[in-house]
Amino acid sequence: MEPMLPKGYEPTEVEDKWYRRWEADGCFHADENSPRPHYSIVIPPPNVTGVLHMGHALNNTLQDVLARWKRMTGHEVLWMPGTDHAGIATQNVVEKQLAQQGLDRHELGREEFVRRVWQWRAESGGQIINQLKRLGASCDWERERFTMDEGLSKAVREVFVRLYEDKLIYRDNRLINWCPRCHTALSDLEVEHADKKGHFWHLRYPVKDSDRTLVVATTRPETMLGDTAVAVHPDDERYADLVGKSIMLPLVDREIPIIFDEYVDSEFGSGAVKITPAHDFNDFEIGKRHGLEFINIFDESGRINENGGAYQGQDRMEARKAVVADLEAAGLLDKIEDHKLAVGECYRCKTVIEPYMSKQWYVKVGPLAEEAIRAVQQGETRIVPRQWEKTYYEWMFNIQDWCISRQIWWGHRIPAWFCDACGEITVSREDASVCAHCGSSDITQETDVLDTWFSSALWPFSTMGWPKQTDTLKKFYPTSCLVTGFDILFFWVARMMMMGLRFMDQVPFKEVYIHALVRDAQGQKMSKSKGNVIDPLTVIDEYGADAFRFTLAAFAAMGRDIKLSTDRISGYKAFANKLWNAARFTLMNLEGFDPKDVDLDQLELSQADQWILARLAQTARDTNAALADYKFNDAANILYVFTWHNFCDWYIELSKGDLYGEDAQSRRRAQSVLYVVLEQLLRLLHPIMPFITEEIWQCLPGERPTFYLMQAAYPTGAPYAAFGHEGPARMELLMEVIRAIRNIRGEMDVAPSRRITAVLDIRNEGDARVVEEGQDYIRSLAGLEELQFGVGIDRPEKAATQVAGEIEVLLPMAGLIDVEEEEKRLAKEIAKAQKDVDFFTKKLSNEKFVANAPSAVLEKDRGKLADAQEKLAILQQSLERVQGWK
């Protein structure tokens, strides 16, 4: 006796049960020795500090859909999971904890601090992994990696040493983005730009040995303390007489030259520009061209240092006020203008970054980028949607050398040692104890760590055991596909391309699928400050993981952001319930049925049977094609239509006559088709809705072809393709007739329980044969007492009509409705609808309301007005028709 499904579907219990069983039985584990074709994906490793948010939920649902689908299509699937040590983010988390205990990391010292971070990771890190399991992610958890685990650390060292030996890693003293709060360098990508209100201060600089002053404009007056020149354009005639002259820099009384450089825009402001090479990226380049002095006026916390004279010790903003006040007092402030500017902020702590002179480690990326560009140009890696290729090229062609050193303690410490005896640097795979150049033991290790993205750039091959040439690498590298958001296209995707090609001589992935953002229902970005964040875990608790996953897939249209609301998830929970109820109905009607001997070719299939099997074949073909093209929304919508409309609304209703009838053969035939369609449908839905489908599938009668549904073969539709000729078209015609009768009943307000007469005026003999064969379907599904049909049949005088294909459907009204009463009823309905139209028309013509109401409210009201107008038009048509029957 098969287990029966309970009345209602309770997701929590079912999800927990099946996930534990799948994992315990190794269903997610990839076998590197399998002869099956490989399919592999590496997870974009979430930060070890992370908790599951909507972006993760979308990203991992799409990966899981692909992984489960590919397992079912006969591939050996490796979905490689893991977490990223997330340098600055993790250090910040632990520093905050220490601050609560009244400690800071400098008191603890480096070793103890790093030990505390590892301790935090053991206790709280990796919380996100359990949350991914709640979502149903079928990763190979036995292979889970962490970017700081022993194997990955070895890979990082190997790559660093090889790049250094190949002269692709170097040190240089240049201007970098500096966060005064995190005390570390940041790459350009780690700086977020926000538009802020600011000012242009116009300052007067006295020309030495004359009464003349030059006016320069700046958005950062405090940096004038580090000015080492004033520049003008060589063709600017206003300043032609200043060749060889200099400026006396106010407040610090330092003599600085006037230089001529084509970078200067003569049209902007006065055409004279202050040059601060140590605190501005453009000025840095000018400084190098003209051999200017680089004067750094800040310490690493953004306070004025000893080069700032009287302002030493002041914070940046404090110094700004003091400098402006002192210039004004000296009569050297020309004017202040309001100005909007893009301010760079640290991506982690939102502190305004400071361009800062500092000695850092760099990767020379030019040669690496060339290879990465070529690989995409030659189609070795395909980016989907295609539009992102352009963005990829733009960035790669303009790529700057990559600053890889960070002045923090948590991360991969750079394997370089400085020799105090000879001044040389030793870079080594193993910890060095002596200088490789002079043999002195007087060496100290670099204190900087590597940018987090350095280790995650190696993720596709380091996680599979490189630098060892493992069986896993042989089987699963290059990976088949990378699923990621567009926001890390450059941070991560481009760098993996460069490193994969350099160290594996192959691209890291054949395809990159870039998905959009999940926004709120109004299309706004979700943020805590707006209070519009939807928590995936709350959603899973309330609606179940399957409904949530189906929603994400259904809205994952290529290149379009997802507008998510709980109403939509609730709608797909109703879809899960619909599937559950259809399965319960089927199982109740399969008592004593054994699917072992089912051979559809031996059965005399009805029109309805042939139609549903043809639709099943088409659905399987279309779903496979949609998934192959990353059209997740198409796959979800194809399955939705088939499940809800074709299977539940039509086929189940059409099969009831045979299931409940006396004819044992017809019952057996209907059971066979019902079983086949449900069983195949569960397979088709499984990658998107794994839990509910596994639960139902395990309750089906007969022996299972595999232990779990997730291991069963994915339908191609091939066995049912033969039913795709005349049967479906005939059934579609019958369905149109039934729909037409139902529409008239609805319009005429005829109760569903009332049995009525229908007359079908048919134009050709072919359609007449179809109706004759399917008349039982029409009678039962349209609620008919009597059905008359034929070519050139007598038409009743007073009848409501609709057209179905070439058949005219007539419902005689005599005795069906009381014309007087119907007229009264319609008049009442019309008055009600008119009231709604008037109300919303008045509301929306109120200028004050329209000006002040939120756009969402206006949209809603406009929608209500359109609905009311449409309803009114239909009611008026019905009234005209009824009045014609008098």
Side-chain angles (χ1 to χ4, degrees):
M1 180 72 189
E2 301 301 331
M4 281 307 288
L5 294 176
K7 196 161 184 214
Y9 175 54
E10 295 298 335
T12 314
E13 217 174 291
V14 169
E15 289 166 11
D16 184 52
K17 172 179 74 178
W18 289 118
Y19 198 89
R20 275 187 293 121
R21 286 204 202 168
W22 291 326
E23 196 178 359
D25 286 349
C27 295
F28 309 150
H29 187 57
D31 176 7
E32 62 271 33
N33 301 311
S34 159
R36 301 191 329 161
H38 91 284
Y39 184 84
S40 52
I41 297 183
V42 292
I43 204 168
N47 286 355
V48 69
T49 54
V51 288
L52 193 70
H53 60 59
M54 274 300 163
H56 294 130
L58 171 66
N59 178 264
N60 287 284
T61 295
L62 300 183
Q63 289 176 83
D64 194 48
V65 169
L66 292 170
R68 287 178 181 274
W69 171 56
K70 284 291 183 182
R71 276 190 203 98
M72 294 176 80
T73 56
H75 292 75
E76 190 62 35
V77 173
L78 168 59
W79 184 12
M80 173 69 78
T83 47
D84 190 273
H85 66 278
I88 297 174
T90 307
Q91 177 150 322
N92 280 350
V93 166
V94 179
E95 282 198 77
K96 276 179 192 157
Q97 284 189 341
L98 290 174
Q100 285 167 358
Q101 298 164 23
L103 294 168
D104 78 15
R105 67 182 165 111
H106 298 285
E107 284 174 57
L108 290 181
R110 183 171 192 141
E111 255 181 63
E112 176 58 18
F113 177 75
V114 170
R115 194 191 67 73
R116 288 281 186 110
V117 184
W118 278 108
Q119 184 188 329
W120 172 84
R121 193 233 165 191
E123 290 163 11
S124 316
Q127 176 188 0
I128 193 162
I129 296 297
N130 294 322
Q131 296 172 339
L132 288 173
K133 292 180 179 184
R134 290 278 320 272
L135 193 64
S138 61
C139 301
D140 186 347
W141 299 113
E142 294 173 46
R143 296 179 190 264
E144 187 190 328
R145 302 306 298 263
F146 177 54
T147 46
M148 291 267 289
D149 69 27
E150 201 181 328
L152 269 68
S153 298
K154 203 177 173 101
V156 166
R157 271 213 177 178
E158 183 62 35
V159 165
F160 186 92
V161 172
R162 282 200 212 172
L163 289 173
Y164 184 79
E165 287 170 352
D166 294 343
K167 310 244 178 317
L168 290 175
I169 283 184
Y170 63 92
R171 272 181 104 216
D172 195 13
N173 192 21
R174 58 171 77 159
L175 213 54
I176 44 98
N177 301 301
W178 180 264
C179 175
R181 185 2 238 115
C182 298
H183 284 190
T184 183
L186 300 173
S187 73
D188 290 345
L189 293 171
E190 292 166 317
V191 178
E192 292 176 347
H193 292 276
D195 281 339
K196 298 276 171 83
K197 284 179 182 166
H199 300 95
F200 257 136
W201 284 269
H202 295 258
L203 316 178
R204 292 189 175 279
Y205 281 14
V207 178
K208 193 183 175 198
D209 301 331
S210 83
D211 299 334
R212 194 169 168 186
T213 58
L214 293 190
V215 176
V216 298
T218 179
T219 57
R220 305 176 64 216
E222 69 283 5
T223 62
M224 58 89 61
L225 302 170
D227 285 359
T228 55
V230 169
V232 293
H233 196 280
D235 300 336
D236 194 331
E237 289 171 7
R238 291 172 293 179
Y239 304 114
D241 59 332
L242 294 178
V243 175
K245 296 280 171 65
S246 54
I247 293 285
M248 286 312 293
L249 186 64
L251 308 184
V252 284
D253 214 26
R254 192 171 67 242
E255 188 177 339
I256 61 174
I258 295 171
I259 60 170
F260 293 80
D261 195 288
E262 290 188 346
Y263 163 76
V264 181
D265 179 0
S266 308
E267 305 297 312
F268 185 75
S270 67
V273 183
K274 65 190 271 317
I275 304 297
T276 324
H279 295 290
D280 180 279
F281 288 99
N282 294 315
D283 294 4
F284 177 79
E285 297 301 327
I286 294 173
K288 281 201 295 190
R289 277 202 293 279
H290 293 268
L292 298 176
E293 199 182 344
F294 288 70
I295 299 175
N296 176 18
I297 59 160
F298 293 119
D299 68 12
E300 53 186 33
S301 298
R303 291 183 171 279
I304 305 289
N305 64 16
E306 65 282 0
N307 295 328
Y311 305 94
Q312 184 172 353
Q314 292 182 10
D315 173 70
R316 292 181 286 178
M317 295 307 150
E318 200 184 330
R320 176 174 296 180
K321 287 177 189 158
V323 163
V324 169
D326 291 349
L327 286 167
E328 190 170 14
L332 295 174
L333 181 64
D334 188 58
K335 62 178 172 179
I336 304 173
E337 289 177 322
D338 288 341
H339 175 64
K340 209 172 184 184
L341 66 161
V343 176
E345 296 176 337
C346 170
Y347 77 118
R348 276 291 157 211
C349 69
K350 306 298 177 228
T351 302
V352 174
I353 63 108
E354 194 59 58
Y356 191 69
M357 281 289 295
S358 174
K359 203 156 202 176
Q360 301 286 342
W361 293 84
Y362 292 87
V363 175
K364 187 177 176 184
V365 288
L368 303 175
E370 268 173 43
E371 289 300 305
I373 290 165
R374 187 192 52 74
V376 175
Q377 284 172 336
Q378 295 184 356
E380 289 170 41
T381 292
R382 185 168 82 97
I383 299 177
V384 184
R386 251 322 259 289
Q387 75 231 35
W388 288 108
E389 265 184 28
K390 187 168 164 278
T391 317
Y392 173 84
Y393 290 136
E394 268 172 20
W395 191 72
M396 289 302 251
F397 278 118
N398 299 303
I399 196 166
Q400 303 291 314
D401 281 0
W402 172 17
C403 173
I404 52 169
S405 41
R406 298 290 179 271
Q407 290 67 49
I408 56 175
W409 288 349
W410 174 244
H412 292 105
R413 196 162 169 185
I414 290 175
W417 286 260
F418 304 110
C419 178
D420 288 341
C422 73
E424 291 288 346
I425 297 174
T426 300
V427 167
S428 167
R429 287 170 179 82
E430 304 302 326
D431 283 0
S433 52
V434 295
C435 172
H437 303 276
C438 72
S440 165
S441 58
D442 196 4
I443 60 170
T444 48
Q445 188 177 352
E446 168 64 272
T447 53
D448 289 359
V449 299
L450 288 163
D451 175 12
T452 310
W453 298 101
F454 190 91
S455 48
S456 51
L458 322 179
W459 188 250
F461 54 92
S462 63
T463 49
M464 295 189 197
W466 188 90
K468 290 181 188 154
Q469 292 307 309
T470 61
D471 290 341
T472 306
L473 269 173
K474 282 186 203 123
K475 176 78 179 170
F476 295 108
Y477 190 94
T479 65
S480 314
C481 166
L482 179 80
V483 178
T484 184
F486 60 83
D487 48 341
I488 53 175
L489 185 58
F490 317 124
F491 271 118
W492 192 46
V493 179
R495 287 164 177 174
M496 283 190 286
M497 287 289 283
M498 294 192 279
M499 295 301 198
L501 286 159
R502 181 82 187 180
F503 293 98
M504 294 295 296
D505 296 321
Q506 273 180 305
V507 291
F509 19 74
K510 294 293 187 189
E511 295 184 314
V512 179
Y513 173 70
I514 293 171
H515 59 74
L517 288 174
V518 184
R519 296 178 177 274
D520 72 5
Q522 275 68 50
Q524 295 200 33
K525 198 171 177 181
M526 290 188 187
S527 71
K528 285 179 190 165
S529 58
K530 284 189 193 139
N532 63 345
V533 173
I534 303 175
D535 178 0
L537 296 163
T538 311
V539 168
I540 292 171
D541 286 339
E542 190 168 344
Y543 302 101
D546 288 318
F548 180 40
R549 288 167 61 111
F550 202 94
T551 311
L552 292 170
F555 288 100
M558 202 173 279
R560 270 217 310 272
D561 285 344
I562 291 178
K563 290 183 183 177
L564 191 72
S565 69
T566 46
D567 288 354
R568 289 180 161 165
I569 305 164
S570 175
Y572 287 112
K573 185 180 184 182
F575 174 67
N577 290 337
K578 185 90 170 170
L579 174 68
W580 185 259
N581 292 333
R584 286 189 81 236
F585 169 83
T586 304
L587 290 170
M588 282 174 193
N589 285 285
L590 290 180
E591 272 188 45
F593 172 79
D594 186 352
K596 191 167 67 207
D597 307 320
V598 169
D599 181 356
L600 296 178
D601 294 332
Q602 301 303 309
L603 298 172
E604 271 195 47
L605 298 174
S606 69
Q607 287 167 307
D609 298 334
Q610 291 178 46
W611 169 75
I612 195 69
L613 291 166
R615 287 291 304 116
L616 173 66
Q618 189 62 49
T619 299
R621 285 195 298 273
D622 293 349
T623 305
N624 276 295
L627 290 175
D629 283 342
Y630 302 103
K631 291 181 176 165
F632 296 94
N633 61 315
D634 285 356
N637 293 330
I638 289 159
L639 292 169
Y640 183 93
V641 168
F642 180 79
T643 306
W644 193 294
H645 301 301
N646 301 162
F647 184 54
C648 297
D649 286 357
W650 283 103
Y651 184 71
I652 284 180
E653 295 305 317
L654 292 163
S655 68
K656 283 178 178 174
D658 291 333
L659 290 171
Y660 302 158
E662 299 300 314
D663 185 336
Q665 215 173 346
S666 295
R667 178 175 161 75
R668 167 82 185 161
R669 189 201 72 237
Q671 285 179 318
S672 301
V673 176
L674 206 50
Y675 170 84
V676 164
V677 175
L678 177 62
E679 199 274 347
Q680 292 286 295
L681 173 58
L682 293 171
R683 293 183 189 217
L684 286 166
L685 281 167
H686 177 79
I688 305 180
M689 305 179 89
F691 297 108
I692 192 171
T693 51
E694 186 78 75
E695 178 75 1
I696 296 169
W697 195 76
Q698 295 289 345
C699 290
L700 292 177
E703 281 180 30
R704 259 151 286 287
T706 54
F707 198 77
Y708 292 111
L709 170 58
M710 70 166 287
Q711 298 161 331
Y714 201 72
T716 60
Y720 317 111
F723 303 112
H725 303 306
E726 290 168 26
R730 293 202 299 267
M731 192 64 220
E732 294 283 356
L733 179 63
L734 295 173
M735 288 158 69
E736 268 195 73
V737 169
I738 294 164
R739 266 192 220 104
I741 299 170
R742 286 176 172 174
N743 286 346
I744 300 171
R745 292 183 76 123
E747 282 172 23
M748 293 294 130
D749 202 29
V750 177
S753 56
R754 184 151 178 206
R755 317 300 282 174
I756 58 173
T757 298
V759 178
L760 307 182
D761 186 357
I762 302 175
R763 302 279 183 272
N764 62 67
E765 290 299 338
D767 285 356
R769 281 196 297 277
V770 172
V771 170
E772 185 156 8
E773 213 180 302
Q775 56 184 304
D776 289 349
Y777 293 143
I778 299 173
R779 281 197 177 88
S780 64
L781 268 67
L784 300 183
E785 179 76 44
E786 193 183 337
L787 174 65
Q788 300 165 16
F789 59 90
V791 177
I793 194 167
D794 286 345
R795 296 161 61 94
E797 270 181 34
K798 291 178 181 173
T801 66
Q802 276 215 354
V803 175
E806 290 186 10
I807 298 174
E808 193 170 359
V809 177
L810 302 107
L811 261 56
M813 287 295 120
L816 191 60
I817 59 168
D818 180 325
V819 175
E820 305 289 331
E821 281 301 313
E822 183 62 9
E823 212 175 347
K824 277 187 207 162
R825 185 187 75 80
L826 285 166
K828 256 189 211 166
E829 292 280 332
I830 285 169
K832 216 156 66 178
Q834 185 66 57
K835 204 171 165 187
D836 286 345
V837 169
D838 294 345
F839 173 76
F840 287 111
T841 305
K842 189 178 174 190
K843 195 174 178 185
L844 289 162
S845 56
N846 177 339
E847 285 173 21
K848 197 174 176 189
F849 168 72
V850 172
N852 297 320
S855 59
V857 172
L858 288 175
E859 276 308 298
K860 214 169 181 180
D861 283 352
R862 285 183 187 126
K864 284 178 179 172
L865 175 60
D867 290 346
Q869 287 169 330
E870 192 183 340
K871 188 176 178 184
L872 183 62
I874 291 167
L875 288 166
Q876 282 167 338
Q877 277 176 343
S878 299
L879 182 61
E880 280 168 32
R881 188 190 296 150
V882 169
Q883 285 168 338
W885 294 333
K886 276 186 172 179

